[in-house]
Amino acid sequence: MHQKDIERFAFLFLCGKRDRAILTGKEKMTFSDLNRLIYLTDYLGLNSYGLEIWSEYGGRFKEQFKQLKEIYDETDGIVSWDPVEEDDERQEQWIREFLRQVPDRDSRKRLEKFIAL
């Protein structure tokens, strides 16, 4: 079994129903879902699986990435805004939500100790 297969199995075991449905192709992935799932796999150290998700779904959002780049290029230097603070709050919310959705209670408790927000 390859590393990405082990990581996929672990993530699908731990994630909630909706994320499992997205990652198994039963529900459509949104740009926001891609961003969140890539962050979560990276945060959990599941880098091989995160790359697999990126490879499979990233190309579907070329237009959104292009639009974000255009917005950034247009506002760079004009808007005084630190996205890090907003990103930190949103990412902590993603982690808390992920933990709440771990279906197995024992696994959830172990993961909460591992993550310790």
Side-chain angles (χ1 to χ4, degrees):
M1 192 174 245
H2 292 92
Q3 182 68 25
K4 70 178 180 177
D5 297 326
I6 295 168
E7 291 179 10
R8 179 188 318 110
F9 179 79
F11 192 79
L12 291 175
F13 176 77
L14 293 171
C15 71
K17 290 179 184 178
R18 182 171 179 277
D19 287 342
R20 195 173 306 112
I22 290 168
L23 293 167
T24 57
K26 295 176 184 171
E27 264 191 54
K28 187 176 179 179
M29 182 177 294
T30 66
F31 184 67
S32 176
D33 291 329
L34 177 67
N35 190 22
R36 179 177 53 78
L37 291 168
I38 294 296
Y39 176 78
L40 288 169
T41 55
D42 182 59
Y43 185 84
L44 295 171
L46 305 173
N47 300 322
S48 293
Y49 187 49
L51 287 172
E52 182 179 317
I53 293 170
W54 176 257
S55 295
E56 185 172 341
Y57 297 99
R60 297 180 186 183
F61 301 103
K62 287 180 183 176
E63 187 60 32
Q64 286 90 337
F65 285 117
K66 181 182 171 188
Q67 290 172 358
L68 282 174
K69 183 182 179 325
E70 289 172 1
I71 290 169
Y72 177 78
D73 290 346
E74 289 174 10
T75 60
D76 187 35
I78 299 172
V79 178
S80 177
W81 172 65
D82 185 5
V84 173
E85 290 177 13
E86 183 177 310
D87 284 347
D88 286 348
E89 291 174 25
R90 179 177 42 187
Q91 291 166 346
E92 284 183 22
Q93 178 61 33
W94 289 341
I95 295 165
R96 282 191 295 274
E97 183 65 26
F98 182 83
L99 287 171
R100 275 195 297 271
Q101 293 182 24
V102 172
D104 180 70
R105 180 177 293 176
D106 291 335
S107 297
R108 183 181 323 120
K109 288 181 181 181
R110 288 182 185 154
L111 192 58
E112 285 172 346
K113 288 179 184 177
F114 174 75
I115 291 176
L117 283 176

